[in-house]
Amino acid sequence: ETKVIEVDPLNIEEEKIKEAAQAIKEDKTVVFPTETVYGLGANGLSENAVRKIFKAKGRPYDNPLILHVANVRSFLEYTYISYTLLEKIERLLPGPITFVLKKREIVPNIVTAGKDTIALRMPAHPVALKLIEYAEVPIAAPSANVSGKPSPTMAEHVLKDMFGKVDYIIIGGKVEFGVESTIIDLTQGKIPIILRPGPIPPEKLKEIFGDIIIPDFAYGKIEPDYIKSPGMKYRHYAPNTPVILVEHDDVDTMVKKVLEEVKNYNNPIVLCLKEHIGYYKDHNINFDTIGSEANYYEFAVKLFEMLRKYDEKIDAMIIEGIEDKGIGIAVMNRLRKASYKIK
Ligand code: TXA
Ligand code: MG
C-alpha cells in the first residue's frame, strides 16, 4: 500500500514531511521531489532499507546509489575530504551536483556497491532538504523510475512507475531542471572528472576547480569506462518507441535529414526547436516542440516528459539535436543514450 502526500514546495506543511521522515526512520521507502528529478529514497545508513530501493526499482545491485544530505557538515561525516576541497565544494551547495569522494566506514557497502567511494549530493529542493533533516539520516536515492526508463520529472511519472512499489510518494510539483545532477569524480588524481553531465556546466566547474576533465563518454558518444561509473553500462533513458536523434551543425541539412527519417516510418513524430516550426508545419507531419534555441534549460526540463509522453503512442520519435554547450551537454548525453539501437 502506497500513501501519496501532496505538498506545496513554496508553502510546506511540516507535519506531512514529518510523517514521511518518520517512515524513513522506520526503514520504509519514500519517493520525493528534488530540483533535478524525483528520487526514490530510504535510510542510507540501513542496509535493510536500501535493499528495498533496489527491489522497488528493479535495479542491479552492482549499480551504486547517491547519498543525499542536508548540510555541508555531512561531507565530513561520510567522506574523507580536505578542508580546501570542502571549501570549493561548498560554493556549489546546495545544488544539482553530486561529488564522488572516498567513503568512510559508516556508509554501508550496499549503497556504494562495494566500492570505496561514495557519491554525495546536497539537493537544492526545500522538500528534499526538510525530509532529510527530519529523518536525521542521509537518504540514499536513485531516480524514481523503473530501471532503464526515463527519470521522472512530473507527478504522473512517479505515480505510474512507483505506485504500489513504495511506502510513500511525496508529490511536490514539477522539477526545476529535468535532467539528473552533474556527477564529478574527485578521487582520480588532482583534476575532477565529469562522470555524468548535468545542470552544472563545465564552465562553472572550471571557475571553481581550475581544470576539469570531460571524457568522451560524458558526451554519450562512446561506451563508458564501466569501472569508473558502474551504472553507465545499463541501458538508460530508453522509451520502447525508437528514438532517432538527428545531429547536424547546419540547420538546413538537419531539417533535410529529419524529413528523410520521417519517410521511414508510418506514424512518427518530429520533436523540434520552437524556432524550427516553420520547416515542418507545411509538410503534413506530426510534430511537437521540445524547447528553444534561446533557452536550453527549457529543452532539458521537457526532455524526459516528451520521451514518456510519446512512448508507445507513435512508431518513432525523430528528435533535433542541440549544441554540446552548457546544459546542452547533459541533454545530448541523455538523447544519444536514448537513441542507442540495442543495449
Ligand atoms: O539528480 C540526481 O542525481 C538524481 C536525484 C534523485 O538526486 N539521482 C540520480 O540517481 O540520478 P541515479 O541512481 O539514477 O544515478 C546515479 C548515478 C549512477 O549512474 C551510478 O552508477 C553513479 O551515479 N554512481 C553512484 N555512486 C557512484 C560512485 N561511487 N562512483 C561512480 N559513480 C557512482
Ligand atoms: Mg537513474
Side-chain angles (χ1 to χ4, degrees):
E1 179 107 341
T2 301
K3 180 159 181 189
V4 179
I5 301 179
E6 262 190 81
V7 295
D8 174 0
L10 299 176
N11 187 13
I12 298 173
E13 291 158 87
E14 308 278 323
E15 290 313 310
K16 290 183 175 176
I17 307 290
K18 280 183 183 157
E19 183 183 340
Q22 181 58 33
I24 293 281
K25 287 183 181 180
E26 291 165 9
D27 275 5
K28 291 179 178 160
T29 47
V30 177
V31 168
F32 62 98
T34 84
E35 77 278 35
T36 55
V37 300
Y38 276 80
L40 161 52
N43 180 350
L45 299 182
S46 160
E47 188 183 324
N48 174 45
V50 173
R51 186 168 292 113
K52 292 178 185 170
I53 297 175
F54 284 94
K55 287 209 176 113
K57 227 183 120 92
R59 183 180 179 109
Y61 284 98
D62 64 352
N63 191 0
L65 306 178
I66 294 173
L67 198 61
H68 296 70
V69 298
N71 54 52
V72 179
R73 185 170 23 89
S74 298
F75 279 79
L76 297 168
E77 263 173 85
Y78 306 116
T79 75
Y80 291 103
I81 187 173
S82 67
Y83 281 100
T84 22
L85 189 53
L86 188 61
E87 268 174 13
K88 288 180 181 166
I89 283 179
E90 228 184 316
R91 293 171 58 188
L92 296 162
L93 300 181
I97 180 159
T98 297
F99 305 92
V100 173
L101 293 155
K102 285 266 175 272
K103 92 173 192 61
R104 286 189 188 267
E105 271 309 294
I106 184 174
V107 181
N109 283 325
I110 188 168
V111 176
T112 61
K115 289 161 71 75
D116 61 358
T117 56
I118 174 76
L120 214 65
R121 152 157 150 78
M122 180 179 171
H125 192 290
V127 173
L129 286 173
K130 280 233 154 77
L131 181 68
I132 302 163
E133 270 167 30
Y134 288 140
E136 297 177 310
V137 287
I139 295 183
S143 48
N145 51 286
V146 169
S147 215
K149 291 291 147 199
S151 295
T153 56
M154 296 164 74
E156 62 176 89
H157 302 160
V158 282
L159 291 172
K160 177 162 190 272
D161 279 21
M162 290 299 151
F163 192 85
K165 293 184 183 154
V166 296
D167 297 303
Y168 279 83
I169 293 178
I170 306 178
I171 297 299
K174 249 188 146 180
V175 299
E176 183 183 351
F177 293 107
V179 290
E180 307 87 344
S181 62
T182 303
I183 303 181
I184 60 169
D185 187 347
L186 298 167
T187 67
Q188 315 280 322
K190 287 213 156 35
I191 309 173
I193 304 169
I194 296 185
L195 297 182
R196 179 176 73 184
I200 303 289
E203 305 85 78
K204 180 76 197 164
L205 297 174
K206 278 180 194 152
E207 267 174 40
I208 292 170
F209 296 99
D211 232 356
I212 188 105
I213 296 169
I214 316 177
D216 282 343
F217 68 75
Y219 290 101
K221 282 178 178 162
I222 57 154
E223 292 292 301
D225 183 341
Y226 300 151
I227 310 301
K228 294 210 180 91
S229 196
M232 292 191 283
K233 74 175 170 229
Y234 298 106
R235 189 165 190 220
H236 265 95
Y237 320 111
N240 292 321
T241 295
V243 171
I244 291 97
L245 174 63
V246 179
E247 293 186 51
H248 210 283
D249 295 340
D250 170 64
V251 178
D252 290 313
T253 316
M254 181 169 70
V255 170
K256 218 158 104 195
K257 282 175 136 189
V258 168
L259 293 173
E260 271 163 29
E261 285 290 350
V262 167
K263 291 184 203 145
N264 296 330
Y265 299 90
N266 291 322
N267 181 30
I269 188 153
V270 170
L271 299 176
C272 71
L273 294 164
K274 276 182 189 155
E275 290 86 347
H276 298 169
I277 290 175
Y279 292 105
Y280 303 108
K281 70 172 173 20
D282 298 327
H283 280 87
N284 190 31
I285 51 176
N286 214 358
F287 71 88
D288 199 346
T289 58
I290 196 170
S292 78
E293 190 77 73
N295 183 1
Y296 281 3
Y297 281 90
E298 201 185 320
F299 199 119
V301 85
K302 272 182 94 174
L303 176 62
F304 292 142
E305 183 184 336
M306 287 295 171
L307 292 186
R308 280 177 180 257
K309 181 173 170 190
Y310 291 109
D311 194 17
E312 291 171 3
K313 306 279 192 309
I314 35 98
D315 66 359
M317 291 182 235
I318 302 163
I319 309 184
E320 289 190 344
I322 56 176
E323 270 183 79
D324 281 297
K325 63 169 195 210
I327 200 170
I329 301 175
V331 167
M332 289 304 284
N333 163 291
R334 310 306 188 269
L335 277 176
R336 290 187 185 114
K337 288 181 169 189
S339 68
Y340 282 171
K341 291 285 176 312
I342 326 140
K343 272 277 123 68

